[in-house]
Amino acid sequence: MSKKTLGLLLSLLTAIAFLLSACGSSGSTGGNTGGSTGGSTGGSTSNTQQLAVGIVLPTKDEPRWIQDETRFREALQQAGYQVEILFSQGSSAKEKENVEALIAKGIKVLIICPHDGTAAAAAAEAARAAGVKVISYDRLIRETDAVDYYVTFDSIAVGAQQAQYLVDHASGTGNPLYLYAGAASDNNAFLFFEGAWKVLQPKIADGTFVIKNSSEAVALQNKLDLTRDEMAKIIGQVTTNWDFNTAKNLAEANLTAATAADKGKVYILAPNDGTARAIADAFAADKDVTEYFVTGQDAEKASVQYIIDGRQSMTVFKDVRTLVQDAIKAAVALLQDQQPEARGAYNNGKKDVPAIQSPVVTVSRDNVRAALIDSGYYSASDFTNLP
């Protein structure tokens, strides 16, 4: 991180500390260093501290959300005040309970990454009814107008970069293509797939790729722009539900159903790093697979090591530090009764939600050191055989 960037971040965090301490009760002190997170539902804060911002994340069972928790806590603790980060553990009911608990503690802004985008509408509406501003974080809350801003990475660009990597490494025609997607309950899964499909479809139509594991995708292979319902049909056949075991079992089932001619050198659209590793392990174990290219996203440490070792082809790096900064900056603006600077919008079925989008970067073995080590995101000591 440059001195200029560090200075800007410290200035931002100082401003946040001032604002949040102003929102606290007389019982809070400048010496607080942040609440602790414990159990499956997150941390607790002193009853004398009136929280200005509450954060709800979907689960502790995926490394990605532990990364986000760590980055939030690091940034907010540097500012010297308490923060409560709650985890919903894959339960929309628990998610709503978490939001209600934060409302009861007096939050003014809610930052929430929903487990199920549609089900989370109830939690957002409860916050709106209490006069709380709602920032949908990373995943979009759908089918409600009770969302003020959406802080996200460019999810369509994520899928497009994954697909472009496969296109760039394919030659000739008839290359076997296996498609996998995230959870059908997650709006991001649709955005990732939309971005990927728009890059892959022309190369499917011209014969470069041949889809091997989705009859619904085959039926739609000549259509560039898919409706949400059409994407849902494909995702329904290839969903991993963001779950390692589901991904591995599905990949193994696809390989069992495939002939030797459907294998050889294969191309695999995997939706994120966790599923990419599970799918890669399944394909690597198949004697008829001679080479595979598999995508990912999130730059999880385990997948970075897979990339270094040649077991995963690429990941889309989404710098959580940037996303966290964007979320905090938006929260501060709302606390000041200002409007955060939006860059685009996403329709959630009820409204066009103003979006604050962070950029994404393709990482392969060729640029892993520059993208992830030299940038300070990870330490070289985290990995072995780093190029």
Side-chain angles (χ1 to χ4, degrees), residues 219-236:
L220 292 163
Q221 65 183 4
N222 292 317
K223 186 174 183 182
L224 178 62
D225 296 313
L226 301 180
T227 67
R228 189 177 181 88
D229 286 343
E230 288 169 338
M231 283 191 286
K233 290 179 180 178
I234 299 173
I235 291 172

Side-chain angles (χ1 to χ4, degrees), residues 2 8 21 42 63 84 123 165 173 194 216 318 330 337 344 356 379:
S2 68
L8 290 172
S21 62
E84 187 145 11
Y165 185 91
T173 59
E194 178 184 349
E216 294 289 353
K318 305 185 301 186
D337 292 325
I356 301 166
S379 298

Side-chain angles (χ1 to χ4, degrees), residues 5-302:
T5 301
L6 180 60
L8 290 172
L9 176 58
L10 291 175
S11 298
L12 172 62
L13 293 174
T14 301
I16 299 168
F18 174 79
L19 284 166
L20 295 180
S21 62
C23 292
S25 67
S26 60
S28 62
T29 65
N32 290 334
T33 58
S36 61
T37 301
S40 64
T41 58
S44 61
T45 60
S46 166
N47 290 333
T48 61
Q49 174 75 34
Q50 184 184 36
L51 296 172
V53 179
I55 300 169
V56 178
L57 298 176
T59 179
K60 273 193 165 185
D61 294 336
E62 294 178 30
R64 161 63 203 282
W65 306 117
I66 300 300
Q67 286 187 56
D68 287 62
E69 178 200 20
T70 299
R71 301 302 183 183
F72 266 119
R73 196 167 298 285
E74 286 174 349
L76 299 176
Q77 285 185 347
Q78 284 182 43
Y81 65 86
Q82 291 182 321
V83 58
E84 187 145 11
I85 303 174
L86 304 180
F87 286 85
S88 303
Q89 288 308 100
S91 166
S92 295
K94 185 63 183 176
E95 182 175 81
K96 190 166 185 291
E97 288 177 14
N98 285 339
V99 170
E100 290 170 344
L102 292 170
I103 292 171
K105 293 186 178 183
I107 63 168
K108 304 300 181 186
V109 176
L110 171 68
I111 298 173
I112 176 173
C113 179
H115 162 62
D116 180 316
T118 302
E125 288 162 3
R128 170 66 63 82
V132 174
K133 297 291 187 181
V134 177
I135 297 173
S136 192
Y137 177 80
D138 193 70
R139 297 175 177 173
L140 182 60
I141 299 171
R142 291 186 53 78
E143 302 301 334
T144 180
D145 61 4
V147 185
D148 295 285
Y149 284 89
Y150 180 31
V151 176
T152 184
F153 294 106
D154 187 339
S155 297
I156 291 177
V158 170
Q161 288 188 20
Q162 291 175 328
Q164 191 61 52
Y165 185 91
L166 298 180
V167 169
D168 290 345
H169 287 81
S171 61
T173 59
N175 297 286
L177 175 66
Y178 291 81
L179 303 173
Y180 297 96
S185 61
D186 180 1
N187 189 65
N188 277 1
F190 286 81
L191 297 175
F192 299 146
F193 192 83
E194 178 184 349
W197 184 260
K198 287 191 174 181
V199 174
L200 290 173
Q201 189 276 332
K203 292 299 181 177
I204 296 168
D206 73 7
T208 300
F209 294 115
V210 179
I211 301 167
K212 295 298 182 180
N213 68 328
S214 171
S215 60
E216 294 289 353
V218 170
L220 292 163
Q221 65 183 4
N222 292 317
K223 186 174 183 182
L224 178 62
D225 296 313
L226 301 180
T227 67
R228 189 177 181 88
D229 286 343
E230 288 169 338
M231 283 191 286
K233 290 179 180 178
I234 299 173
I235 291 172
Q237 286 187 327
V238 301
T239 180
T240 63
N241 206 34
W242 300 127
D243 179 76
F244 305 168
N245 290 329
T246 301
K248 188 171 186 291
N249 291 339
L250 179 58
E252 289 174 344
N254 291 158
L255 288 166
T256 298
T259 66
D262 296 329
K263 301 175 186 178
K265 181 190 288 189
V266 300
Y267 296 80
I268 309 162
L269 179 73
N272 73 343
D273 281 349
T275 59
R277 296 193 303 275
I279 292 166
D281 289 346
F283 276 79
D286 190 299
K287 63 180 178 58
D288 292 321
V289 174
T290 58
E291 187 178 3
Y292 64 84
F293 296 87
V294 60
T295 65
Q297 67 169 298
D298 295 333
E300 292 178 3
K301 282 185 180 179

